[in-house]
Amino acid sequence: MNDATNNTTLTIGKVARRTGIGVETIRFYEREKLLPEPARDPSNGYRRYPESTVARLQFIARAKELGFTLRETRELLELRAGPATCGTVRAKAEEKLGDVRRKIEDLRRIERALRTLAEACPGEGALDDCPILGALEGGFGDGS
Amino acid sequence: MNDATNNTTLTIGKVARRTGIGVETIRFYEREKLLPEPARDPSNGYRRYPESTVARLQFIARAKELGFTLRETRELLELRAGPATCGTVRAKAEEKLGDVRRKIEDLRRIERALRTLAEACPGEGALDDCPILGALEGGFGDGS
DNA sequence: CTTGACACTGTAGTGTACTACAGGGTGTAC
DNA sequence: GTACACCCTGTAGTACACTACAGTGTCAAG
């Protein structure tokens, strides 16, 4: 992450506009260790972010939308930056894989229920005429 | 959801133990309209929940883990209970389907990156020896 | 130089989602 | 009757994730 070969760095405001994440939130993420402290412009103390920060922040935003807490997101990001050995990375990656696969499976259930619902409601009609309106329930928790 | 034919109803504590969700949270969900108000035992005013409440609460818990806000969860649950016509249900269900599919796609990306990571780290070795440790980044936001 | 946007640090406040508690009532076993 | 678990309502507090603000410095255009 050294931009010595590429001089393009961004101020915090530029990063914010690029990502739709507020400057205050970006500084918050730095405090929470989701972002590394960026280099500073020596002449004014302003943060200078590498271009890669944009992708990192977009990852963080998406992870939040997928139900990951900030701590979990940080752990995902640290997989490549933290542990000392490859074996540790592998073990942690596989643990996270289990979480991710479960989320996918659950979302698939919701998708199926919603699709069934949409296909069962082709047009006009009272709700009483849609016998599959209970499709959303029973799709969960009981191992179907 | 009428238990006239099935007398089994549950007190709030039983529902809480069955679901792992606290009684106070259950009452909170009722206030937030995620749960309908249950019938009451006339002799003491206690809530009596139908058996189906357990599945409903498990759905709510899982939806939260999947990144749905309570409002979004409520909207999902209201798909079968709210709008007046089948056509409206269909339109809303399809809107939600879009959200769900995007979440699935994003999770798939994370899954792939994690799998790549795990497979690239077969055992011991310094992190510098894992050239794919950057797999997590760049997997997002750019439509790669 | 003036003006307005942008940046800084540190503190305070907001929204969401719970969670705990106070005070009091109910049920059951001993 | 006692003790304890359970229930009720309503209020207050906590955790998480931001978001706003105060006071001050910096930059760039006019």
Side-chain angles (χ1 to χ4, degrees):
Chain A
M1 289 305 123
N2 190 334
D3 284 306
T5 58
N6 175 2
N7 280 336
T8 306
T9 61
L10 307 162
T11 59
I12 193 168
K14 288 197 167 72
V15 173
R17 282 188 290 278
R18 287 272 299 275
T19 58
I21 295 166
V23 296
E24 283 147 336
T25 306
I26 295 170
R27 285 198 281 256
F28 170 71
Y29 287 158
E30 182 186 316
R31 294 199 295 277
E32 299 296 315
K33 305 289 193 288
L34 283 146
L35 287 182
E37 289 184 34
R40 296 293 181 114
D41 186 320
S43 69
N44 57 20
Y46 286 8
R47 291 168 172 80
R48 302 302 309 191
Y49 291 96
E51 185 73 35
S52 58
T53 303
V54 173
R56 190 176 177 107
L57 282 167
Q58 283 163 346
F59 178 86
I60 291 166
R62 281 308 290 169
K64 178 196 170 188
E65 286 180 32
L66 295 167
F68 293 96
T69 64
L70 289 187
R71 182 178 59 78
E72 286 168 334
T73 303
R74 189 171 61 235
E75 284 167 358
L76 285 171
L77 288 167
E78 281 167 358
L79 276 180
R80 67 165 213 123
T85 67
C86 229
T88 314
V89 171
R90 183 190 176 102
K92 283 180 180 276
E94 283 179 348
E95 179 189 335
K96 296 296 176 187
L97 264 174
D99 294 341
V100 168
R101 285 184 174 135
R102 197 157 85 112
K103 284 179 190 273
I104 289 171
E105 186 52 44
D106 286 339
L107 281 167
R108 276 295 174 81
R109 289 180 176 191
I110 294 189
E111 184 193 26
R112 280 198 296 268
L114 284 170
R115 202 168 56 227
T116 302
L117 196 57
E119 288 165 359
C121 300
E124 299 302 320
L127 287 185
D128 291 343
D129 297 344
C130 293
I132 316 197
L133 278 181
L136 267 188
E137 271 184 276
F140 257 154
D142 299 279
S144 89
Chain B
M1 291 302 125
N2 190 334
D3 286 304
T5 59
N6 176 1
N7 280 336
T8 305
T9 62
L10 306 160
T11 60
I12 193 168
K14 286 195 169 74
V15 173
R17 282 188 289 280
R18 288 272 297 277
T19 59
I21 294 166
V23 297
E24 283 148 335
T25 305
I26 295 171
R27 286 196 282 257
F28 170 70
Y29 287 158
E30 182 185 316
R31 293 198 296 277
E32 300 295 315
K33 304 289 195 280
L34 283 146
L35 288 181
E37 288 185 34
R40 297 292 180 114
D41 185 323
S43 70
N44 56 20
Y46 288 7
R47 291 169 172 81
R48 302 302 308 191
Y49 292 96
E51 185 74 36
S52 57
T53 304
V54 173
R56 190 175 175 108
L57 282 168
Q58 283 163 344
F59 178 85
I60 291 165
R62 283 306 294 167
K64 178 196 170 189
E65 287 179 32
L66 295 166
F68 293 96
T69 63
L70 290 187
R71 182 179 59 79
E72 286 169 334
T73 303
R74 189 170 62 239
E75 284 167 0
L76 284 171
L77 289 167
E78 280 168 357
L79 276 179
R80 68 166 211 121
T85 67
C86 230
T88 314
V89 171
R90 182 190 177 103
K92 282 179 180 276
E94 283 178 349
E95 180 189 333
K96 297 296 178 189
L97 265 174
D99 293 341
V100 168
R101 283 183 175 137
R102 194 155 87 111
K103 283 178 191 276
I104 289 170
E105 186 52 46
D106 286 340
L107 280 167
R108 276 297 175 84
R109 288 180 178 192
I110 295 190
E111 183 193 25
R112 281 198 296 271
L114 284 170
R115 201 167 57 226
T116 303
L117 197 56
E119 287 166 358
C121 298
E124 301 302 317
L127 286 185
D128 291 342
D129 297 346
C130 294
I132 314 195
L133 277 180
L136 266 188
E137 270 183 276
F140 256 118
D142 297 327
S144 84

